[in-house]
Amino acid sequence: MADFPTSAKVVIIGGGAVGASSLYHLAKKGWTDCVLLEKNELTAGSTWHAAGNVPTFSTSWAVMNMQRYSTELYARLGEEVDYPMNYHQTGSIRLAHSKERMQEFERAKGMGLQQGMNLEILTPEEVKERYPFIETHDIKGALYDPNDGDIDPAQLTQALAKGARDMGAKILRFCPATGVTQKEDGSWIVHTDKGDIACDYVVNAAGYYAQQVGEWFKPYGGRTVPMMVMSHQYVLTEEIPEIEAWSKENGRKLPLLRDVDVSYYFRQEKHGFNIGPYEPNCKAEWAGSPDEVPNDFSFQLWTDDLERIEEIVADSMERVPLAATAGISRIINGPIPYAPDGMPLLGPMPGVTNAFEACVFTFGIAQGGGAGKVLAEWIVDGATEWDMWACDPRRYTDYTDHDYCVAKGMEVYGNEYAMHFPWHRWPAAPDRKLSPVHEKVKALGGVMGDYNGWERANWFAQPGDDTSEESTHTWGRSGPWEQRIKEECKAVRDACGVLDLPGFSRFWVKGDGADEWLRGYCTGGIPKVGRIGLIYVSDHRGRILTEMSCIRLEENSFVLITAATAQWHDGELVKRSVPEGVTVTETTRDRDCLIVAGPTSRDVLAGLTDADLTQGWLTHQHATVAGKPAFLIRVSFTGELGWEVHAANEDVPAIYEAIIAAGAKPFGMWALNSLRIEKGYRAWKGDLSTDYTLFEGGLDRFVKLDKPQDFTGKAALMAEKQQGVKKRFVTLIVDAGDCDAPYMSCLWHDGQIVGETTSGAWGYRVGASVALGMVRADLAEPGKELEVEIYGERFRAVVQEDRPLWDPENERLRA
């Protein structure tokens, strides 16, 4: 082929809506020397049979941003690229059958307001006014989204493709990629049936073929893409005269309905209806093995299976009886890829340099516009406008085998519209990674949670406590756990508690020059030998990339400890930045950690260890505990006198048993969250994210602009220091009701939104509801009264002094 491109900046594998959007947005940023490869025709995968709904609703800040951007893009795209578009912004009505669902809608409304969207809460009467054919007798209310609607997926993809081509990008149809080879300099050769293409970056946007494409990257550090494929059906009815008459009279389509408590969407399609259930008795396809996926399933569907969805379809026809007057004209049954949490994989490919993923989109049409924007920012700028951790492929690590992906994918699909309560754990596929004392923790009453696959106790139940899944279906703090959390916090406050904390991400960095590398890598200083301290890493904008505990063993020997969920994220940051001669050894799975904290913790440990327990705060030492070798660190995320006891897995059971026998009370993660929030300690990817700079985050003392090293983000932070911050981190005491402030609750002042919460919980030591958040800088004054909106209600919130609420002088920590 004379016009076959043999080189490109970026090669995108996959020609669905997301792949085309990625190409379009790369070209918009000036990277026009890019190529998209499609094995068949554009849209041949999930895109061609997609229903094409375009909601903005989400309770994920990142996903809401993506979907909002998509609606904004699609509204102007046809004119922008001169391509005809069938995009109907009909608005949508989400029905609620319960108080809890209305609370969820109120939260989404608040998040939407922060992003400039005018979501509305409707009464049943207002629903009837906007949708005259509906039965409303059993609903509590609804959420109205004026920007929701539907688009023709094929037209959308072709419009994005035309826009990309017009800017100079290339699309090769019927040109399947067959493999990749990475060169020594980190660039790539993408192999196709028609020749090879050399490129700087490669993107896996292969939809339900993403796992097969992902296997090509394994020799270069990759892993099996965590995904599975679901069979999704939707029903098209015959046309209905009353719908045609209403549309002609009103000059528009009916709003899109979603009965999320029954689990279906219900949309006007021409002059009939499109009914799309997400049924609990769902079906995974190609579930026996990833090898079951056919070589080419382009433009194909499966046989109808109406029996699986007929109950939900019947319910929808009771909701809109007019639908029952028409026959069924067609049933679409096609593949939709699912990641284990139902969120896409969008961002750097784990373990592989210069490779990205934009795949496993369950709602690829709604998210496609935003996804292309995000991917282009990742590749061109090295960072995204919005923190995208919720979609980052590195959020999964080494526990997502095929059985796990199938079980979780089916769980997500069968609960597509379910509420994600803060106390609830989805039960499928537990026990992926266990601590050495897992069975003992459970025997003590541990009610477990999942932290990057690691099982940790959230709270400890006593005999007779209700530990049913149903008990967790609440946004409120009240539940069987509340009294137990209070007791656990009291034990840590007044005596001694012990928390088994498996899964800390640990990286041992050593070698000549490790100290100088670390000084230039983090934003502040590094600890002296024998000490531990927090260090921060920023991106080029001065935004918070990560936080690490830095233990200095020797001049050029450090252990960096980070959150369990940050394992692959922070591991890559460190491993890819150390200079030659400095080694990084990960010991995450080899060791466990016990948090021993409280005013009597020294007494508890004294009879068990030969450690020098008089050593001060922020020190560390090797010693024995219960006769076993251990490493003790004098720190405590609880804000009380305490130690982290790190030991090899095989030695932990004896240590744990001895500590409990000496009088320590087991406590869980929910108590720890309450304790840390009273100290103003930040949590990663809540309070600490790339949505905020270090100065906005109140981390000034961890930034040394006068040090000679030119760390990443230094110039941006220097400029911000001169200009002043726009937002500022604050601690708030909230006159809350039954619920504490969730992530991204609106902060109000004088009728305006002036900030957002980043986390919230009840503080059992201070006896108050506490929220951490970001507020307009001029309002970050102690005593300033704001309001925080919690599930639709506004509560008085008072800005506190810039110091911990509990033990502000750290006297208890230093005891």
Side-chain angles (χ1 to χ4, degrees):
M1 293 176 63
D3 58 347
F4 183 85
T6 57
S7 66
K9 289 283 287 182
V10 182
V11 170
I12 298 168
I13 300 170
V18 173
S21 178
S22 300
L23 188 71
Y24 173 80
H25 282 88
L26 282 166
K28 287 281 282 186
K29 290 183 77 68
W31 283 32
T32 56
D33 183 15
C34 297
V35 174
L36 183 149
L37 301 175
E38 167 53 47
K39 70 191 303 181
N40 197 283
E41 180 57 89
L42 294 180
T43 77
S46 294
T47 298
W48 85 274
H49 63 78
N53 299 329
V54 188
T56 63
F57 176 91
S58 180
T59 53
S60 161
W61 184 250
V63 169
M64 183 177 273
N65 264 315
M66 275 204 304
Q67 294 180 169
R68 171 189 53 78
Y69 174 85
S70 290
T71 64
E72 295 166 357
L73 172 67
Y74 300 167
R76 66 176 189 266
L77 184 64
E79 184 177 346
E80 191 172 285
V81 303
D82 191 23
Y83 192 89
M85 299 276 289
N86 283 323
Y87 180 35
H88 309 105
Q89 288 189 288
T90 60
S92 73
I93 298 170
R94 287 177 184 261
L95 305 176
H97 294 247
S98 67
K99 171 192 170 186
E100 289 77 16
R101 183 66 79 174
M102 289 299 292
Q103 288 177 290
E104 180 194 51
F105 287 172
E106 290 280 9
R107 183 186 175 206
K109 176 189 172 186
M111 290 172 61
L113 280 172
Q114 293 179 66
Q115 295 192 15
M117 295 188 294
N118 187 29
L119 306 183
E120 299 176 51
I121 298 295
L122 304 182
T123 65
E125 294 73 24
E126 289 170 327
V127 170
K128 188 76 172 178
E129 289 172 9
R130 300 193 190 207
Y131 205 106
F133 306 109
I134 194 172
E135 293 292 324
T136 61
H137 61 278
D138 59 344
I139 67 169
K140 298 285 186 184
L143 178 71
Y144 179 70
D145 177 357
N147 297 315
D148 203 339
D150 63 271
I151 196 167
D152 183 307
Q155 286 183 332
L156 168 63
T157 306
Q158 295 294 348
L160 290 164
K162 180 180 185 297
R165 286 191 186 106
D166 288 349
M167 288 182 279
K170 292 184 172 61
I171 296 175
L172 302 181
R173 299 169 300 132
F174 302 101
C175 183
T178 57
V180 296
T181 300
Q182 190 168 39
K183 298 193 291 186
E184 286 188 10
D185 64 358
S187 64
W188 294 93
I189 299 173
V190 178
H191 309 292
T192 81
D193 285 345
K194 298 179 180 179
D196 291 345
I197 305 175
C199 61
D200 296 329
Y201 304 95
V202 64
V203 178
N204 180 356
Y208 51 74
Y209 284 106
Q211 194 169 77
Q212 280 79 349
V213 170
E215 294 299 296
W216 302 342
F217 295 87
K218 276 190 170 180
Y220 312 106
R223 88 299 182 216
T224 297
V225 174
M227 63 170 288
M228 53 84 70
V229 177
M230 289 301 301
S231 157
H232 176 60
Q233 300 182 91
Y234 59 88
V235 175
L236 301 176
T237 72
E238 295 172 342
E239 298 202 349
I240 301 169
E242 291 89 337
I243 299 300
E244 182 176 9
W246 187 93
S247 291
K248 286 181 178 177
E249 181 182 345
N250 291 274
R252 58 186 173 88
K253 294 170 68 173
L254 286 160
L256 195 157
L257 281 179
R258 289 183 181 85
D259 195 330
V260 289
D261 292 313
V262 181
S263 193
Y264 64 85
Y265 60 82
F266 190 97
R267 188 185 91 203
Q268 181 178 337
E269 183 76 22
K270 297 181 180 177
H271 297 134
F273 290 116
N274 173 339
I275 307 167
Y278 289 93
E279 68 279 12
N281 59 325
C282 52
K283 183 181 180 184
E285 292 288 351
W286 307 321
S289 161
D291 298 332
E292 292 181 11
V293 183
N295 288 333
D296 191 357
F297 199 75
S298 301
F299 296 111
Q300 294 187 54
L301 297 171
W302 292 304
T303 305
D304 306 345
D305 190 1
L306 184 58
E307 185 176 336
R308 230 172 53 223
I309 60 173
E310 60 183 350
E311 188 174 323
I312 296 179
V313 171
D315 188 285
S316 75
M317 291 181 173
E318 291 177 11
R319 179 67 57 201
V320 183
L322 195 59
T325 65
I328 293 174
S329 67
R330 192 179 181 195
I331 298 175
I332 306 295
N333 182 8
I336 298 183
Y338 268 75
D341 60 0
M343 305 285 262
L345 302 177
L346 180 61
M349 186 181 293
V352 187
T353 56
N354 300 331
F356 292 82
E357 291 178 339
C359 54
V360 199
F361 279 79
T362 298
F363 299 102
I365 306 305
Q367 295 163 6
K373 173 187 185 295
V374 166
L375 186 82
E377 290 169 348
W378 266 125
I379 294 175
V380 178
D381 304 329
T384 55
E385 178 184 354
W386 320 302
D387 188 282
M388 292 302 300
W389 180 246
C391 304
D392 194 310
R394 295 168 294 183
R395 70 189 186 273
Y396 294 114
T397 58
D398 54 357
Y399 61 97
T400 56
D401 60 21
H402 182 69
D403 291 344
Y404 177 87
C405 291
V406 171
K408 296 303 284 187
M410 291 183 69
E411 181 178 64
V412 171
Y413 181 95
N415 296 278
E416 189 63 66
Y417 294 128
M419 291 173 275
H420 293 263
F421 296 109
W423 312 103
H424 178 244
R425 177 186 181 168
W426 294 102
D431 298 342
R432 308 310 290 183
K433 295 191 279 191
L434 307 181
S435 93
V437 292
H438 175 73
E439 293 303 326
K440 175 67 175 177
V441 169
K442 290 186 70 174
L444 291 168
V447 180
M448 310 307 286
D450 169 16
Y451 298 82
N452 188 27
W454 289 97
E455 296 287 312
R456 295 175 179 172
N458 282 328
W459 62 289
F460 283 83
Q462 299 299 313
D465 286 347
D466 183 1
T467 58
S468 67
E469 191 176 353
E470 291 73 23
S471 72
T472 67
H473 291 175
T474 176
W475 304 109
R477 80 178 68 85
S478 179
W481 52 82
E482 184 181 23
Q483 179 62 27
R484 303 301 171 223
I485 296 172
K486 182 179 181 179
E487 292 166 358
E488 292 168 23
C489 291
K490 183 179 178 182
V492 175
R493 182 195 69 187
D494 297 340
C496 180
V498 59
L499 169 64
D500 176 46
L501 198 67
F504 263 143
S505 304
R506 298 177 181 84
F507 307 99
W508 183 15
V509 182
K510 63 177 179 175
D512 289 343
D515 58 343
E516 191 56 29
W517 163 75
L518 196 55
R519 286 190 189 95
Y521 187 58
C522 68
T523 60
I526 62 175
K528 296 177 181 179
V529 174
R531 306 282 293 179
I532 177 175
L534 285 178
I535 62 171
Y536 289 86
V537 181
S538 72
D539 66 14
H540 69 273
R541 302 164 298 181
R543 298 192 187 183
I544 305 164
L545 204 52
T546 196
E547 171 196 77
M548 302 181 184
S549 293
C550 177
I551 302 163
R552 193 168 190 179
L553 303 173
E554 299 170 2
E555 283 296 324
N556 280 300
S557 180
F558 302 85
V559 176
L560 304 178
I561 298 181
T562 70
T565 51
Q567 183 184 358
W568 280 7
H569 179 279
D570 287 0
E572 286 190 6
L573 286 179
V574 173
K575 292 170 187 174
R576 291 182 182 179
S577 61
V578 295
E580 190 173 345
V582 175
T583 61
V584 181
T585 305
E586 184 174 348
T587 60
T588 300
R589 276 190 175 267
D590 304 332
R591 301 176 71 77
D592 192 18
C593 174
L594 303 175
I595 307 295
V596 184
T600 66
S601 57
R602 181 178 279 118
D603 299 329
V604 166
L605 288 172
L608 305 175
T609 182
D610 57 3
D612 178 3
L613 299 179
T614 66
Q615 283 193 10
W617 186 40
L618 303 180
T619 61
H620 53 81
Q621 59 186 302
H622 288 94
T624 61
V625 180
K628 303 294 184 180
F631 186 65
L632 276 67
I633 310 174
R634 178 77 191 278
V635 291
S636 179
F637 204 49
T638 66
E640 301 286 351
L641 170 68
W643 285 261
E644 290 181 4
V645 180
H646 296 256
N649 289 336
E650 60 269 22
D651 295 326
V652 168
I655 298 173
Y656 188 63
E657 294 272 8
I659 290 172
I660 289 176
K665 177 182 176 66
F667 68 101
M669 296 297 292
W670 290 347
L672 182 66
N673 187 54
S674 171
L675 296 164
R676 71 95 186 168
I677 210 166
E678 292 172 310
K679 292 291 290 183
Y681 293 159
R682 281 71 152 171
W684 191 66
K685 288 308 179 189
D687 315 300
L688 303 169
S689 81
T690 56
D691 283 330
Y692 309 112
T693 70
L694 274 86
F695 289 148
E696 287 176 334
L699 301 170
D700 307 48
R701 68 189 184 279
F702 298 102
V703 179
K704 292 190 177 297
L705 296 176
D706 59 349
K707 70 178 184 177
Q709 292 83 9
D710 189 23
F711 59 85
T712 302
K714 186 175 183 178
L717 288 167
M718 290 180 74
E720 186 180 34
K721 188 77 170 177
Q722 293 174 341
Q723 297 164 9
V725 296
K726 296 177 181 177
K727 288 184 175 182
R728 192 71 183 178
F729 180 87
V730 292
T731 300
L732 301 160
I733 293 287
V734 184
D735 295 342
D738 298 330
C739 307
D740 301 305
Y743 176 67
M744 287 295 167
S745 297
C746 295
L747 294 175
W748 293 83
H749 181 69
D750 285 346
Q752 292 184 319
I753 294 175
V754 294
E756 66 276 349
T757 61
T758 53
S759 57
W762 187 266
Y764 290 94
R765 290 178 299 194
V766 301
S769 183
V770 183
L772 307 182
M774 294 287 179
V775 69
R776 206 174 69 203
D778 62 299
L779 298 173
E781 300 175 1
K784 179 68 72 175
E785 291 194 14
L786 309 174
E787 290 180 300
V788 59
E789 182 178 323
I790 303 176
Y791 302 114
E793 290 187 67
R794 295 190 200 175
F795 299 90
R796 178 175 174 265
V798 180
V799 177
Q800 303 299 300
E801 288 188 57
D802 186 15
R803 52 190 251 168
L805 295 175
W806 178 252
D807 186 27
E809 302 300 329
N810 290 329
E811 293 172 353
R812 296 170 70 94
L813 268 176
R814 300 175 188 274

